[in-house]
Amino acid sequence: MFSIGELSKRTKVKVPTIRYYEQMGLLAEAERTSGNQRRYDKTGLERLSFIRHARDLGFSIEAISSLIELQEHPDRSCEAATDIAVSQLADVREKIKRLKLLEKELSRISKGCDGQGVSEDCYVLASLADHELCSREH
Amino acid sequence: MFSIGELSKRTKVKVPTIRYYEQMGLLAEAERTSGNQRRYDKTGLERLSFIRHARDLGFSIEAISSLIELQEHPDRSCEAATDIAVSQLADVREKIKRLKLLEKELSRISKGCDGQGVSEDCYVLASLADHELCSREH
DNA sequence: CTTGAACCTCTAGTCACTAGAGATTGTAGA
DNA sequence: TCTACAATCTCTAGTGACTAGAGGTTCAAG
Ligand SMILES: [Zn+2]
Ligand SMILES: [Zn+2]
Ligand SMILES: [Zn+2]
Ligand SMILES: [Zn+2]
């Protein structure tokens, strides 16, 4: 049995974040000492590691909730889990796509001015004022 | 002179968002009718288009504030504008990098299970529980 | 037994909006 | 000119995933 601070150290999840996860129902309410402090065991550690990993992979709290519920019922079909993962992957790909378009434009914009001139003639400012200067939609 | 709804239509920025920008100091306070409704002219339209475009490119409200201030002073050095653009580009590149790592892992995870089994044997859930299954840091 | 780090709860702030309530105004058709 | 109703107004609160701070209590080492 260890404290929230110890759990924090082991999982690299900040203490207030752990309490937040508990409040959101991701973590079961921890046991308490007689003085009302939280105490965790291996189960709590594994659960939080799962959450941490899923968050690192960009899953939302809501998605993680569903995944955990599934994990709690080993006999259920895992279809929902795959669905969530596939949808998360699609999300990530969509974001990459969008960001690549931005990168293209921002790269052009950045290169267009060395910062030595005055605001009036600045290509950065001109580019922001006029989307027509962009090479594509973004 | 046109209404906020008309401005919204022309710039594709939602009405409450326009009011929000005004509150944040990005848009000058608009003129008002005797009945207190906002009225805009070409200047307001151009300003909002600038904001919209910068937002589309991912600049923060704070960054846009600085850019607008620079734009208001045509004689000032534009160095800050270039700095902001370069830093935004770096941000975007960083995000792309991160997302590509996620994509790699998520793609592996998604492929690992067809959703036909049970939760207990699910590769998606196993992968989330164990970062060791990941091929890299992410 | 004392000290002080770690813990507790609760509220509020972050960012860039978005939604809704409840009241007022603008404008087009009768 | 009147009426209907869409559009506008202000204000407050909610979103997601935390983070910061106040003010108080508990744990554990020396
Ligand atoms: Zn410049
Ligand atoms: Zn553009
Ligand atoms: Zn599965
Ligand atoms: Zn991993």
Side-chain angles (χ1 to χ4, degrees):
Chain A
M1 300 293 272
F2 40 88
S3 70
I4 196 169
E6 184 62 29
L7 183 63
S8 169
K9 241 178 242 163
R10 295 203 204 178
T11 56
K12 263 135 210 167
V13 176
K14 287 180 191 156
V15 169
T17 305
I18 297 174
R19 290 197 277 248
Y20 170 74
Y21 287 158
E22 182 184 305
Q23 219 187 329
M24 293 301 100
L26 285 192
L27 279 172
E29 290 193 18
E31 283 179 57
R32 303 285 183 130
T33 64
S34 58
N36 201 34
Q37 297 196 357
R38 291 169 181 82
R39 286 297 176 270
Y40 298 90
D41 59 9
K42 191 160 157 287
T43 309
L45 179 66
E46 283 169 1
R47 167 68 60 88
L48 185 54
S49 302
F50 183 97
I51 297 170
R52 163 95 219 255
H53 195 213
R55 285 293 302 129
D56 281 351
L57 287 165
F59 290 89
S60 71
I61 297 284
E62 201 192 343
I64 296 173
S65 254
S66 305
L67 291 167
I68 285 176
E69 173 145 8
L70 222 54
Q71 211 185 21
E72 306 265 84
H73 299 275
D75 52 318
R76 283 204 203 151
S77 158
C78 74
E79 202 181 345
T82 318
D83 286 354
I84 289 171
V86 167
S87 136
Q88 174 63 16
L89 175 58
D91 259 33
V92 166
R93 288 195 168 138
E94 192 57 40
K95 277 186 185 146
I96 291 173
K97 217 179 191 173
R98 243 212 104 223
L99 286 172
K100 278 187 175 170
L101 290 174
L102 295 197
E103 190 201 358
K104 206 176 151 60
E105 301 303 340
L106 287 168
S107 161
R108 169 185 58 79
I109 290 170
S110 294
K111 277 187 207 134
C113 175
D114 59 5
Q116 300 303 304
V118 293
S119 155
E120 194 169 20
D121 312 320
C122 183
Y123 183 73
V124 171
L125 294 174
S127 293
L128 290 172
D130 188 6
H131 173 55
E132 292 293 309
L133 294 174
C134 288
S135 49
R136 305 190 187 198
E137 286 315 307
H138 52 88
Chain B
M1 300 295 272
F2 40 88
S3 72
I4 196 168
E6 183 63 27
L7 182 64
S8 169
K9 239 178 244 162
R10 295 203 204 178
T11 56
K12 264 134 210 166
V13 175
K14 287 177 191 158
V15 169
T17 306
I18 297 173
R19 290 198 276 249
Y20 169 75
Y21 287 159
E22 182 184 304
Q23 220 188 326
M24 293 300 101
L26 285 191
L27 279 172
E29 291 192 18
E31 284 179 57
R32 303 284 183 130
T33 64
S34 58
N36 201 34
Q37 297 195 357
R38 291 170 180 82
R39 286 298 176 268
Y40 298 90
D41 59 9
K42 192 160 157 284
T43 308
L45 180 65
E46 284 169 2
R47 166 69 59 91
L48 185 54
S49 302
F50 182 97
I51 296 169
R52 164 94 219 255
H53 195 214
R55 284 295 301 130
D56 282 350
L57 287 164
F59 290 90
S60 71
I61 297 282
E62 201 193 342
I64 297 173
S65 253
S66 305
L67 291 166
I68 284 176
E69 173 146 7
L70 222 53
Q71 210 186 24
E72 305 264 84
H73 298 276
D75 53 319
R76 283 204 203 152
S77 160
C78 70
E79 203 182 345
T82 317
D83 287 353
I84 289 170
V86 166
S87 135
Q88 174 63 15
L89 175 58
D91 260 32
V92 166
R93 288 195 168 138
E94 192 57 41
K95 277 184 186 147
I96 291 173
K97 217 180 192 172
R98 242 211 106 222
L99 287 172
K100 278 187 175 169
L101 290 174
L102 296 197
E103 190 202 358
K104 203 174 155 58
E105 301 303 341
L106 286 168
S107 162
R108 169 184 59 80
I109 290 171
S110 294
K111 277 186 208 135
C113 174
D114 60 4
Q116 300 303 303
V118 293
S119 157
E120 195 169 20
D121 312 320
C122 184
Y123 183 73
V124 171
L125 293 174
S127 293
L128 290 173
D130 187 6
H131 173 55
E132 292 293 309
L133 294 173
C134 288
S135 50
R136 304 190 187 200
E137 286 314 307
H138 51 89

